[in-house]
Amino acid sequence: MKKLFALLISTSILFTACTTNKITGRSQLSLVPESTLQQEAVSQYQTFLTQNKVVSSTNNKDAEMVKRVGSRIANAITKYYTEQGMADQLAGYKWEFNLVQSNEVNAWCMPGGKVVVYTGLLPITQNEAGLAIVLGHEISHAVLHHGQERMSQALLAQGVQIGGNIFTSGNAQVNNIFNSIYAPTAQVGVLLPNSRKQELEADHYGLIFAAMAGYNPNEAVGLWERMAKLNSGNQTPEILSDHPVDSKRIAAIKKEMPEALKYYKPVNS
Ligand SMILES: [Zn+2]
């Protein structure tokens, strides 16, 4: 009886805590409100920026480029979501784009639009469109609420009690889960790789958003091939530990190219 009761409760939690993503149409577990995640992201982002070397965008072409590419993608997404009557999906977004000095090949976007690009990524992206592909992918994870979904799955799997603001309760487990999902900072106890489903979604919408922002989506194939090559060497770039590249993934990107190209209008940069 107890078991049945517990099952009924967990089933009803799952039932009430699933939302249908307006853009993908996919049902996602959402045990933690997006607003709570954004609030936590602002605080973690500020801490990250104070603990790492941010490249000033004054007179630095790379840092300027990160802000330019990021803003163009953010503007394209905002325009598209607004036109589609989905502006509520971006509620609370206050975009920020920072380049951080680090050899790591990585970039990420936290809920609410807090983005970091590591200088180590730029030799691989090679050009502005290459960077747009990576940023399109990372930003898609955020605006498609993938972090919220993963966070919810992890909380459920680890049996963390949900209620109130789970971050202010000082639960180390909760903070660990958050950090492992959003910012590959040090002292992370659990590794939670993105699901393949989320990766394919982020590739798909990332291509479209980069194209909407005026960047050639064809750049994606070469970019992920360069990434895959890095992976065959000794070091696995940070970004690939979370986003493995294989021939199936590149084939899926090629298949989506005609759709992405429909949105592509080049910009002069
Ligand atoms: Zn990804």
Side-chain angles (χ1 to χ4, degrees), residues 137-138 141 146 194 198-199 202-203 224 239 242-243 249:
H137 177 100
E138 296 302 332
H141 277 312
H146 284 168
N194 283 354
Q198 290 188 342
E199 281 314 299
D203 279 344
W224 292 114
I239 201 165
D242 221 22
H243 312 73
R249 186 173 166 192

Side-chain angles (χ1 to χ4, degrees), residues 1-16:
M1 188 63 196
K2 251 187 193 167
K3 263 189 192 160
L4 180 67
F5 189 62
L7 182 74
L8 281 175
I9 288 189
S10 56
T11 312
S12 67
I13 287 176
L14 287 178
F15 187 72
T16 51

Side-chain angles (χ1 to χ4, degrees), residues 69-134:
V69 174
S71 303
R72 277 187 187 160
I73 294 174
N75 291 342
I77 290 174
T78 306
K79 184 168 175 273
Y80 179 71
Y81 271 62
T82 306
E83 283 167 0
Q84 300 294 314
M86 305 187 301
D88 59 318
Q89 297 283 298
L90 300 175
Y93 265 69
K94 291 191 181 70
W95 298 94
E96 267 189 74
F97 304 94
N98 281 294
L99 179 66
V100 162
Q101 189 72 47
S102 164
N103 292 333
E104 270 185 49
V105 180
N106 207 4
W108 42 260
C109 175
M110 283 182 174
K114 306 300 186 195
V115 176
V116 160
V117 172
Y118 296 77
T119 48
L121 176 73
L122 301 181
I124 316 300
T125 51
Q126 287 183 358
N127 54 53
E128 208 155 320
L131 178 62
I133 298 300
V134 175

